[in-house]
Amino acid sequence: KVDIANARLVFASGCVANITASRISREKVRKIRFFDRASYLSIDCMNRTVEAYTLAPPEPGAAPDDWMRRIRPLAVVAVMYWRRARTLAARGAPVPVWRQASFALGITLAATAQLMPLEDELFFMHMLQHVMLGDLAALAFVLGLTGPLLRPILAVPWLAPLRHLAHPLVALPLWTVSLYLWHLPPLYEAAVEHSAVHALEHLSFFTIGVLMWAAVVEVLPGPEWFSTGWKFGYVAVVRL
């Protein structure tokens, strides 16, 4: 078993991410920290806190810290996840460590994709970013989930019907249509030129990717007919 782990990711933009986990220190540590020249963001997964600081005031006319704006929603989701995980652990039903590690990997991959350089200049980087968001990060995210983790969300009356979106006959068409529509020239160009449209594109890729993989992983019970053979066919269609 690994007792302590620390990873350091350096992005082309100059942003640095440190991911630390330890189970042998005096206090257990589960932290993800992002550093930039003028900003700092810390996610403490054990204590369920997020700290964000601007180290220096922006220059007149300067744009806000774009990297922090991009990953702040991920930080909120991470805190919600580990708050629920701690609650379940206190009730004697802890989330398996491998699932928590998978969830952390999913958040890290999504953050990496969000901070990827040259995405608008190089088509290859643009496509790689979408694969990371809608495929790799989404799969790791789904593997980190369990029914008990999702129970408070599904208990909300107007959110409960959303579970039907993870049905394979719904999720696969959604994934296919989303992938096609976002690469039509008008929408592709709008995403490149407008940050709000770009953010919506990334949100849809990740969200629909989560639904697509949820049908295979079956965090919640799926249809009885969707056996292993059907799942292989489902994944094969996705990979085409």
Side-chain angles (χ1 to χ4, degrees), residues 10-99:
V10 180
F11 303 97
S13 63
C15 178
V16 177
N18 281 341
I19 305 170
T20 305
S22 172
R23 62 187 181 90
I24 60 172
S25 56
R26 186 174 180 180
E27 296 182 358
K28 289 186 178 180
V29 178
R30 300 286 189 278
K31 286 188 176 182
I32 305 175
R33 291 171 288 182
F34 294 89
F35 301 87
D36 195 42
R37 287 175 295 179
S39 303
Y40 168 69
L41 177 68
S42 175
I43 306 172
D44 189 332
C45 302
M46 293 298 297
N47 294 318
R48 303 170 291 175
T49 60
V50 175
E51 296 179 352
Y53 300 96
T54 299
L55 304 181
E59 298 179 0
D65 296 317
D66 186 60
W67 73 269
M68 185 177 289
R69 177 180 56 80
R70 291 186 178 193
I71 66 174
R72 187 178 286 118
L74 295 173
V76 172
V77 171
V79 170
M80 293 173 63
Y81 178 94
W82 273 292
R83 285 189 64 180
R84 178 61 178 167
R86 288 191 66 181
T87 298
L88 291 174
R91 294 175 180 176
V95 179
V97 174
W98 73 267
R99 288 195 181 274

Side-chain angles (χ1 to χ4, degrees), residues 47-237:
N47 294 318
R48 303 170 291 175
T49 60
V50 175
E51 296 179 352
Y53 300 96
T54 299
L55 304 181
E59 298 179 0
D65 296 317
D66 186 60
W67 73 269
M68 185 177 289
R69 177 180 56 80
R70 291 186 178 193
I71 66 174
R72 187 178 286 118
L74 295 173
V76 172
V77 171
V79 170
M80 293 173 63
Y81 178 94
W82 273 292
R83 285 189 64 180
R84 178 61 178 167
R86 288 191 66 181
T87 298
L88 291 174
R91 294 175 180 176
V95 179
V97 174
W98 73 267
R99 288 195 181 274
Q100 296 189 50
S102 181
F103 178 85
L105 176 61
I107 292 294
T108 302
L109 287 172
T112 301
Q114 289 289 78
L115 300 174
M116 189 172 291
L118 302 177
E119 54 169 312
D120 295 333
E121 289 78 14
L122 299 178
F123 183 74
F124 167 75
M125 296 297 289
H126 181 81
M127 295 306 298
L128 177 60
Q129 183 183 51
H130 292 175
V131 169
M132 291 182 66
L133 280 172
D135 208 343
L136 303 178
L139 175 57
F141 182 91
V142 169
L143 288 173
L145 300 178
T146 65
L149 279 169
L150 296 174
R151 190 167 295 135
I153 296 176
L154 297 177
V156 179
W158 62 273
L159 288 177
L162 295 180
R163 64 185 300 168
H164 299 301
L165 296 178
H167 190 286
L169 296 183
V170 177
L172 184 57
L174 280 176
W175 183 85
T176 304
V177 171
S178 172
L179 189 65
Y180 176 77
L181 289 178
W182 280 113
H183 288 93
L184 291 175
L187 284 179
Y188 178 85
E189 293 173 6
V192 171
E193 296 175 3
H194 305 285
S195 60
V197 179
H198 201 176
L200 179 61
E201 178 189 39
H202 287 180
L203 177 63
S204 68
F205 275 132
F206 182 74
T207 302
I208 295 176
V210 166
L211 293 173
M212 183 267 293
W213 283 115
V216 178
V217 176
E218 290 191 348
V219 176
L220 300 174
E224 293 183 4
W225 60 265
F226 197 53
S227 59
T228 302
W230 282 104
K231 289 179 181 179
F232 274 116
Y234 180 97
V235 173
V237 171

